Amino acid sequence: MDAVSDVFDLLQLRGTFYFRTDFSGSWGTTVPKLGHAARFHYTVRGECWAKVEGQAPVRLSAGDFFMVPHGASHILSDRPIDDAPPLETVLRSAGYDGRHVLSNGVHDSEASTQLICGHF
């Protein structure tokens, strides 16, 4: 086993998968605080920006795994921004029912940002 797998086994972490995204065009969302959890976002395709409260934005590209400790609120977006609609608003606007892919914008697999999101 690798070192990361050993740590996860030792801590006996349990994960929750939220959704897979397909965002294109201009987009952004504020993910709310979730205490006692480490949120994660894995960039499958494309790129985006992640900004945790009080920190500088970080550019994520395909293959990057971004963890947000302590369930801190953070913004995911197509460009560095300081304000974005709450996740609940984005979910409602997209008509997301908990199944399939959370889509925002016009589907264009060549220009979209695809993420896998969840928490430990």
Side-chain angles (χ1 to χ4, degrees):
M1 275 208 248
D2 61 71
V4 173
S5 295
D6 290 343
V7 169
F8 286 152
D9 286 344
L10 178 67
L11 295 175
Q12 297 180 351
L13 291 176
R14 287 182 229 137
T16 298
F17 166 76
Y18 296 138
F19 39 70
R20 182 175 176 139
T21 70
D22 186 7
F23 294 149
S24 59
S26 180
W27 62 273
T29 187
T30 300
V31 181
K33 182 174 177 60
L34 177 65
H36 307 309
R39 287 204 155 128
F40 67 85
H41 304 285
Y42 174 70
T43 310
V44 176
R45 180 185 190 90
E47 62 181 45
C48 66
W49 290 83
K51 183 179 187 316
V52 177
E53 289 180 42
Q55 304 293 320
V58 175
R59 183 176 169 216
L60 305 175
S61 298
D64 288 342
F65 185 85
F66 186 74
M67 284 190 76
V68 182
H70 309 293
S73 177
H74 56 286
I75 295 173
L76 296 170
S77 58
D78 65 310
R79 64 197 181 289
I81 57 176
D82 291 320
D83 190 39
L87 178 59
E88 288 301 318
T89 300
V90 172
L91 293 171
R92 231 182 349 269
S93 294
Y96 186 70
D97 64 2
R99 298 179 298 185
H100 311 294
V101 174
L102 170 59
S103 295
N104 186 351
V106 177
H107 177 70
D108 178 356
S109 62
E110 295 301 313
S112 68
T113 299
Q114 297 175 8
L115 303 169
I116 294 175
C117 307
H119 76 258
F120 295 107

